[in-house]
Amino acid sequence: MIDEIQDDASTRMGKSCDALSEAFARIRTGRANPALLDTVTLAYYGAPTPIKQLASITVEEGRTLVVSPWEKALINDLEKAILASNIGLTPNNNGEVIRLPLPPLTEENRKELVKQARSEAENARIAIRNIRRDAIADVRELVKEKLATEDEGHHAEVAVQAITDDKINKVEALLEEKVKDLLEF
């Protein structure tokens, strides 16, 4: 039982780190990244569909995203969806593809993006600590119900804390890397 609690906590904490990595991918840096468009959806046959399923998204010359729709009839709808998404990019439609030039980041923009990255990292840390709290409560419940000894419970709590420390350190490393990337000129 205790091993299952530890494994579950580790898995859930790992998912929090993965979610943080995805959130960081959506925070734009000075370079173009197709993940910037991950949140943009388009109503396609009545269902909201991510544009990455409707078009190929490539990087051109490091600072420009090129969206090439699979169906040319979708190009105007894709352009409207990108404009409506409020990602801060203005699409250029030439009838064949949509180009999204990324303007260079100003110092003020960079500081704002760093704040956003720190906020995302704090949310991940909170999620990890909540998972730790739940796991320790489950272990204590096992001890209380006499399904595990107090020593086993104590060792399990120490193991859960070690897992938590490891995942928090991973969050810190991801944040440090993102901040370095954002502040790089």
Side-chain angles (χ1 to χ4, degrees):
M1 284 298 283
I2 288 177
D3 290 338
E4 291 173 11
I5 293 170
Q6 290 173 351
D7 291 343
D8 180 56
S10 180
T11 301
R12 290 173 54 204
M13 289 178 189
K15 287 180 182 177
S16 293
C17 291
D18 294 343
L20 178 64
S21 294
E22 290 173 16
F24 281 171
R26 288 188 299 271
I27 297 175
R28 83 176 184 97
T29 58
R31 293 180 297 279
N33 183 350
L36 291 172
L37 299 176
D38 282 354
T39 59
V40 181
T41 60
L42 173 67
Y44 186 65
Y45 289 108
T49 308
I51 68 168
K52 66 182 178 182
Q53 293 180 5
L54 300 171
S56 119
I57 303 169
T58 57
V59 177
E60 182 179 83
E61 299 173 10
R63 297 195 89 137
T64 305
L65 287 174
V66 177
V67 180
S68 304
W70 307 128
E71 298 177 31
K72 297 300 178 196
L74 289 176
I75 197 156
N76 291 326
D77 294 335
L78 286 171
E79 182 179 21
K80 289 176 188 170
I82 292 168
L83 278 171
S85 69
N86 291 329
I87 56 173
L89 300 176
T90 307
N92 296 329
N93 176 355
N94 69 5
E96 296 282 320
V97 296
I98 298 172
R99 283 192 167 68
L100 298 163
L102 273 73
L105 293 174
T106 64
E107 188 65 30
E108 186 177 312
N109 289 357
R110 290 176 192 276
K111 288 179 181 176
E112 197 60 38
L113 292 172
V114 167
K115 279 185 195 175
Q116 185 181 350
R118 290 186 195 284
S119 173
E120 293 287 349
E122 183 58 28
N123 290 341
R125 285 191 290 268
I126 289 169
I128 289 170
R129 288 192 296 261
N130 287 340
I131 294 165
R132 175 193 61 196
R133 182 195 63 220
D134 293 345
I136 289 176
D138 291 345
V139 168
R140 289 180 180 163
E141 187 66 28
L142 287 178
V143 171
K144 183 178 176 185
E145 293 175 1
K146 305 283 187 210
L147 296 173
T149 65
E150 285 190 26
D151 282 346
E152 289 172 335
H154 176 72
H155 291 299
E157 287 182 27
V158 169
V160 168
Q161 183 60 47
I163 294 168
T164 302
D165 293 343
D166 180 53
K167 298 302 181 184
I168 294 286
N169 288 338
K170 183 175 180 182
V171 166
E172 294 304 322
L174 288 170
L175 176 62
E176 185 178 317
E177 182 181 326
K178 187 63 177 183
V179 167
K180 179 182 171 197
D181 197 26
L182 285 168
L183 296 177
E184 190 176 88
F185 285 95

